[in-house]
């Protein structure tokens, strides 16, 4: 029998029992949906990690200040460690030859005004190496210079969105804006960096287009923290080459351990490792979802097999008639196997749609990034077809091996 | 010779028990004959029909259909032979209830792998020939018994087989409809088909040109109606003979 004919017979038989076929495929539907959702979350997390790596730089190492509480805070106080400081950055720059550049980052919490317009911005104290380390360029004007740093000038470089908010389409160069109680002259505007909206990240991606950069020295002096005068929130380190990232991180760890007297008031983040880290977090999730998918598919497959066995018995007479009219065992086998695969593949398609909806819902309600990759659709469809073949072969063989005469006599 | 059967035996094994349905049957049938097989229930008539139709194989003995010995043919070849050379007509019609009339007639052509349009065309032609062209889209359960049997006959004829095997074709029909079916079969015979019919009804057996009387898995008598012999009379004679023995 030709395949197209077998296909038509299969479709008919499924359509004759719509409700039964749908119920039969529920297991496959949920199994496939779970696979799709799982893969989409995995893919989303991977893309997000890649996005962070892109933003932080592959050859980079980040050192973040960690706020200590309770016992640990008291311990830090007794050991006279006053957190991550500007000096740490200078130390790294001077003592580690594999380091190409180091730039400090200090966040300042202050309102940004121009006239009576206020901008939603984040003020960052840094130095002239920042653009090089972060590969984030100036679009108009210039960035902070070594002279700005050494003289602690009151100048600033603003992000593209800040510029648009405060100046519209006019050039802001030379104009003054107020940060906290101080007036700053705008000397440059950063390029507009396209960002994907990341929601579930190990490090929150902030919208760097809303940054305002001022010299680190100005930040430390004008927005002075009396308790920790040299405190910085982050230090960005750029290493000479990718292979040197690991060994350099080790050296930094040792160096900081000594200068901080064993107090863990900082953490070292290697962007390249974020991917592995996000994979590790994913693994537990994958095991859970994978088990759900496997159990659903198994139960679904057994359900399909059951229904097909019932269908074979129900259609014994038809099998006898077809055999008498010239159907081979192979024809009968093909007919039933094809029908099973059709049922499970239809379940697979419904499952894929459900999985896509689930992924979207997870994205909206749980805030996790989800991405439906084409390969995951193909894999899921393949799995559903496989379930049909695996669980269809037994009923189909049973049908094919029936004695035609006994089948004809069946009422 | 279209059919050659030499010393056919068929034994059904059911656990410990063995049922001998055929115990050495030998005969030949020429093209164009109309043979009726008669005999008591359980005498092996249907078993013989199934072997002649290549739906079953003898336990021993040899069966040759149109020059092809079926011994040693695999399922695929045997099914092909059955599909091309044989048309079955059953007592209970055996139409597939899920398919409509014309689709039922098409089924043998599906296994012949005929093109879809050609298939439909041929099936409709056959339905016309049995006078049911106007019923092609109906379901079998919407038709009368006689009409069902005509559809079955159309289906048996659709591959243009050499041999039509009808196992009690009028068994489920009333006298009048039975008569109509017999006329249809007679016409096929006149058109040159070889026809073998199992029947319990001597009146129906009269329509044929040859008459095989079976009992206990053997052929008791084999009469040829060459010059208007009274086959019914001969049947009674043969049964009397049996009883006196
Ligand atoms: N599949 C089978 N398994 C076991 N025994 C069988 C099988 N088919 C037929 N028989 C036995 O073989 C013998 C011949 O059966 P068959 O059906 O050929 O008889 P028949 O002449 O067609 O009878 P009827 O006129 O009632 O249709 C019977 O005794 C029957 O019980
Ligand atoms: Mg019988």
């Amino acid at each position: 029998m030709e395949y197209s004919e077998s296909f038509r017979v299969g479709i008919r038989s499924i359509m004759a029992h719509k409700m039964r076929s749908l119920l039969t495929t529920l297991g496959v539907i949920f199994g496939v949906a779970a696979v799709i959702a799982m893969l989409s979350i995995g893919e989303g997390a991977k893309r997000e990690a890649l996005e962070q790596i892109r933003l932080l730089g592959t050859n980079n190492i980040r050192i973040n200040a960690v706020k200590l509480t309770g016992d640990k805070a008291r311990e830090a106080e007794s050991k006279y460690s006053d957190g991550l400081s500007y000096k740490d950055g200078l130390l790294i720059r001077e003592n580690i030859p594999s380091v190409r550049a180091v730039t400090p980052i200090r966040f300042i919490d202050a309102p940004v005004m121009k006239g009576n317009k206020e901008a939603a911005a984040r003020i960052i104290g840094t130095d002239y190496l920042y653009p090089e380390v972060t590969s984030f360029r100036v679009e108009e004007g210039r960035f902070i210079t070594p002279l700005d740093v050494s003289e602690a000038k009151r100048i600033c470089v603003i992000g593209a969105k800040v510029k648009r908010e405060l100046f519209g389409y006019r050039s802001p160069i030379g104009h003054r804006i107020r940060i906290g109680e101080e007036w700053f002259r705008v000397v440059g505007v950063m390029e507009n960096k396209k960002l994907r909206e990341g929601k579930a990240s190990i490090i929150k991606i902030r919208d760097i287009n809303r940054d305002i950069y001022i010299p680190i020295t100005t930040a430390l002096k004008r927005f002075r923290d009396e308790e920790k005068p040299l405190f910085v929130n982050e230090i960005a380190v750029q290493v000479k080459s990718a292979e040197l990232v690991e060994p350099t991180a080790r050296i930094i760890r040792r160096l900081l351990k000594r200068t901080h007297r064993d107090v863990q008031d900082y953490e070292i983040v290697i962007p390249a490792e974020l991917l592995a880290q996000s994979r590790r977090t994913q693994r537990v999730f994958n095991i859970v979802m994978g088990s759900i998918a496997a159990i659903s598919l198994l139960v679904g497959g057994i359900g399909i097999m059951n229904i097909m066995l019932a269908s074979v018995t129900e259609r014994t007479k038809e099998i006898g008639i077809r055999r008498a009219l010239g159907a081979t065992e192979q024809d009968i086998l093909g007919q039933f196997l094809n029908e099973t695969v059709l049922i499970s593949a239809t379940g697979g398609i419904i499952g894929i749609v459900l999985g896509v909806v689930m992924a979207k819902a997870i994205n909206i309600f749980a805030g996790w990034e989800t991405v439906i990759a084409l390969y995951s659709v193909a894999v899921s469809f393949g799995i559903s077809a496989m379930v049909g073949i695996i669980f269809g072969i037994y009923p189909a063989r049973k049908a094919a091996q029936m004695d035609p005469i006994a089948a004809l006599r069946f009422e | 010779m279209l059919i050659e059967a030499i010393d056919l035996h068929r034994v059904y094994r059911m656990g410990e028990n063995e049922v001998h349905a055929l115990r050495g049957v030998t005969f030949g049938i020429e093209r164009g004959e109309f043979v009726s097989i008669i005999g008591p229930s359980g005498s092996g008539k249907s078993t013989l029909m199934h072997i002649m139709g290549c739906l079953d194989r003898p336990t021993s003995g040899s069966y040759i259909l149109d020059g092809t010995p079926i011994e040693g043919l695999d399922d695929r070849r045997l099914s092909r032979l059955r599909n091309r050379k044989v048309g079955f007509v059953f007592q209970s019609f055996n139409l597939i209830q899920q398919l409509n009339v014309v689709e039922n007639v098409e089924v043998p052509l599906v296994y012949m792998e005929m093109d879809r349009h050609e298939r439909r065309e041929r099936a409709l032609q056959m339905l016309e020939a049995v006078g049911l062209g106007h019923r092609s889209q109906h379901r079998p359960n919407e038709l009368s018994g006689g009409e069902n049997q005509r559809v079955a006959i159309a289906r048996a004829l659709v591959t243009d087989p050499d041999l039509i095997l009808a196992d009690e074709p009028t068994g489920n029909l009333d006298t009048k409809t039975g008569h109509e079916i017999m006329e249809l079969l007679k016409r096929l015979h006149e058109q040159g088909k070889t026809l073998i019919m199992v029947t319990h009804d001597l009146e129906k057996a009269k329509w044929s040109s040859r008459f095989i009387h079976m009992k206990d898995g053997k052929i008791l008598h084999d009469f040829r109606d060459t010059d208007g012999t009274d086959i019914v009379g001969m049947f009674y004679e043969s049964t009397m003979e049996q009883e006196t023995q």
Side-chain angles (χ1 to χ4, degrees), chain A residues 168-396:
Chain A
Y169 291 97
R170 287 176 299 126
S171 170
I173 307 294
H175 292 285
R176 280 170 202 282
I177 59 173
R178 211 178 69 186
I179 301 173
E181 300 302 313
E182 310 275 347
W183 288 93
F184 283 75
R185 186 162 54 86
V186 178
V187 296
V189 180
M190 301 304 283
E191 66 181 321
N192 190 6
K193 202 137 185 167
K194 294 235 181 320
L195 293 173
R196 277 157 30 86
E197 294 287 320
K199 284 177 187 159
S201 335
I202 295 150
I203 293 177
K204 277 265 172 278
I205 295 176
R206 51 171 213 274
D207 186 353
I208 55 175
N209 295 318
R210 290 193 175 280
D211 284 352
I212 295 178
Y213 303 99
I214 62 175
I216 180 71
T217 43
T218 317
L220 295 175
K221 203 161 105 194
R222 305 271 167 187
F223 301 92
R224 192 174 167 83
D225 180 341
E226 294 302 337
E227 280 174 27
K228 299 172 177 179
L230 291 180
F231 176 78
V232 293
N233 298 77
E234 286 178 22
I235 295 170
V237 179
Q238 188 179 42
V239 181
K240 281 177 179 155
S241 73
E243 309 85 72
L244 290 172
V245 169
E246 272 298 322
T248 308
R250 263 203 307 279
I251 298 169
I252 292 175
R253 194 162 284 132
R254 231 178 301 135
L255 187 73
L256 292 184
K257 197 174 162 129
R258 193 143 36 80
T259 57
H260 287 242
R261 298 185 187 88
D262 275 343
V263 180
Q264 278 294 321
D265 48 7
Y266 58 89
E267 60 172 3
I268 296 172
V269 178
I270 303 170
E273 272 185 355
L274 287 177
L275 199 58
Q277 202 176 323
S278 91
R279 284 222 180 93
R280 277 195 294 276
T281 359
Q282 274 289 299
R283 232 190 29 219
V284 180
F285 177 76
N286 279 355
I287 289 169
V288 174
M289 284 297 264
S291 310
I292 293 174
I295 291 168
S296 290
L297 289 170
L298 185 72
V299 170
I302 292 171
I304 289 181
M305 184 163 78
N306 243 327
I307 289 292
M308 286 314 289
L309 282 172
S311 174
V312 167
T313 308
E314 213 170 78
R315 289 156 71 186
T316 300
K317 184 105 187 172
E318 179 188 332
I319 294 165
I321 296 171
R322 287 183 182 273
R323 294 281 277 139
L325 299 179
T328 61
E329 287 178 16
Q330 205 66 43
D331 287 329
I332 301 295
L333 183 97
Q335 181 185 330
F336 281 92
L337 193 56
N338 181 60
E339 196 172 316
T340 321
V341 172
L342 271 179
I343 290 178
S344 64
T346 309
I349 291 170
I350 299 173
I352 287 169
V353 173
L354 184 67
V356 170
V357 172
M358 260 165 66
K360 195 74 206 159
I362 288 170
N363 177 249
I364 292 169
F365 296 113
W368 295 359
E369 185 81 356
T370 55
V371 176
I372 305 286
L374 198 64
Y375 86 87
S376 69
V377 173
V379 164
S380 310
F381 188 76
I383 288 176
S384 65
M386 278 300 290
V387 166
I389 292 172
I390 291 169
F391 292 94
I393 198 87
Y394 175 63

Side-chain angles (χ1 to χ4, degrees), chain A residues 409, chain B residues 41-42 44-47 50 91 167-168 198 200:
Chain A
R409 213 177 269 144
Chain B
S41 187
K45 304 181 298 291
S46 296
T47 304
H50 292 145
Q91 178 178 357
D167 196 342
E168 298 185 48
V198 168
H200 280 299

Side-chain angles (χ1 to χ4, degrees), chain B residues 95 100-106 109 119-138 143 146-158 184 187:
Chain B
L95 299 176
N100 69 26
V101 162
V102 66
E103 287 164 341
N104 263 289
V105 178
E106 280 181 49
L109 301 178
R119 207 162 75 198
R120 178 57 52 101
E121 203 173 307
R122 249 195 95 67
L124 286 171
Q125 246 172 14
M126 281 302 140
L127 281 175
E128 289 292 345
V130 299
L132 284 176
H134 59 296
R135 301 294 217 134
S136 66
Q137 299 304 317
H138 287 253
L143 268 53
E147 287 169 325
N148 264 288
Q149 197 59 300
R150 280 163 195 255
V151 175
I153 290 171
R155 182 180 67 183
L157 291 173
V158 78
L184 184 54
R187 214 165 67 222

Side-chain angles (χ1 to χ4, degrees), chain A residues 1-2 5 8 12 317-318 321-329 331 335 404-405 408, chain B residues 50 55-56 75 79 82-83 88 90 94-95 98 103 107 110-111 113-114 116 119 155:
Chain A
M1 183 156 59
E2 290 166 53
E5 192 56 34
R8 218 166 299 129
R12 261 185 105 121
K317 184 105 187 172
E318 179 188 332
I321 296 171
R322 287 183 182 273
R323 294 281 277 139
L325 299 179
T328 61
E329 287 178 16
D331 287 329
Q335 181 185 330
I405 296 159
L408 268 175
Chain B
H50 292 145
L55 200 56
D56 194 11
D75 170 65
S79 297
R82 179 165 72 234
N83 181 238
F88 278 104
F90 302 93
N94 281 344
L95 299 176
Q98 287 79 17
E103 287 164 341
V107 173
V110 167
Y111 296 110
E113 307 206 331
M114 187 182 273
R116 208 147 70 92
R119 207 162 75 198
R155 182 180 67 183

Side-chain angles (χ1 to χ4, degrees), chain B residues 39-240:
Chain B
S41 187
S43 57
K45 304 181 298 291
S46 296
T47 304
L48 184 59
M49 291 291 260
H50 292 145
I51 291 173
M52 286 192 289
C54 303
L55 200 56
D56 194 11
R57 298 172 197 258
T59 311
S60 71
S62 77
Y63 175 63
I64 301 162
L65 174 61
D66 198 16
T68 313
I70 67 156
E71 201 181 348
L73 291 187
D74 60 9
D75 170 65
R76 207 172 52 83
R77 294 219 178 80
L78 196 65
S79 297
R80 191 184 163 86
L81 202 64
R82 179 165 72 234
N83 181 238
R84 307 290 158 99
K85 303 253 179 211
V86 183
F88 278 104
V89 178
F90 302 93
Q91 178 178 357
S92 54
F93 324 132
N94 281 344
L95 299 176
I96 299 174
Q97 296 300 322
Q98 287 79 17
L99 304 181
N100 69 26
V101 162
V102 66
E103 287 164 341
N104 263 289
V105 178
E106 280 181 49
V107 173
L109 301 178
V110 167
Y111 296 110
M112 239 175 129
E113 307 206 331
M114 187 182 273
D115 162 85
R116 208 147 70 92
H117 300 285
E118 205 182 331
R119 207 162 75 198
R120 178 57 52 101
E121 203 173 307
R122 249 195 95 67
L124 286 171
Q125 246 172 14
M126 281 302 140
L127 281 175
E128 289 292 345
V130 299
L132 284 176
H134 59 296
R135 301 294 217 134
S136 66
Q137 299 304 317
H138 287 253
R139 289 294 170 106
N141 61 10
E142 295 162 0
L143 268 53
S144 72
E147 287 169 325
N148 264 288
Q149 197 59 300
R150 280 163 195 255
V151 175
I153 290 171
R155 182 180 67 183
L157 291 173
V158 78
T159 53
D160 194 20
D162 298 301
L163 180 63
I164 304 286
L165 296 173
D167 196 342
E168 298 185 48
T170 60
N172 281 11
L173 304 173
D174 60 45
T175 323
K176 186 172 163 286
T177 335
H179 192 85
E180 284 165 20
I181 293 296
M182 285 313 295
E183 274 178 342
L184 184 54
L185 291 176
K186 179 83 183 163
R187 214 165 67 222
L188 294 177
H189 175 229
E190 282 160 7
Q191 284 163 9
K193 294 278 179 208
T194 310
L195 205 69
I196 302 175
M197 174 180 74
V198 168
T199 180
H200 280 299
D201 183 352
L202 285 170
E203 284 305 310
K204 300 285 172 353
K206 278 189 196 162
W207 293 73
S208 63
S209 59
R210 184 174 165 192
F211 178 88
I212 292 177
H213 182 193
M214 284 188 77
K215 194 173 181 199
D216 295 335
K218 286 186 187 141
I219 296 180
L220 214 55
H221 282 102
D222 189 344
F223 308 109
R224 251 170 246 266
D225 174 18
T226 40
D227 43 7
T229 332
D230 172 16
I231 54 175
V232 179
M234 293 182 81
F235 173 74
Y236 281 120
E237 257 170 49
S238 80
T239 39
M240 293 300 282

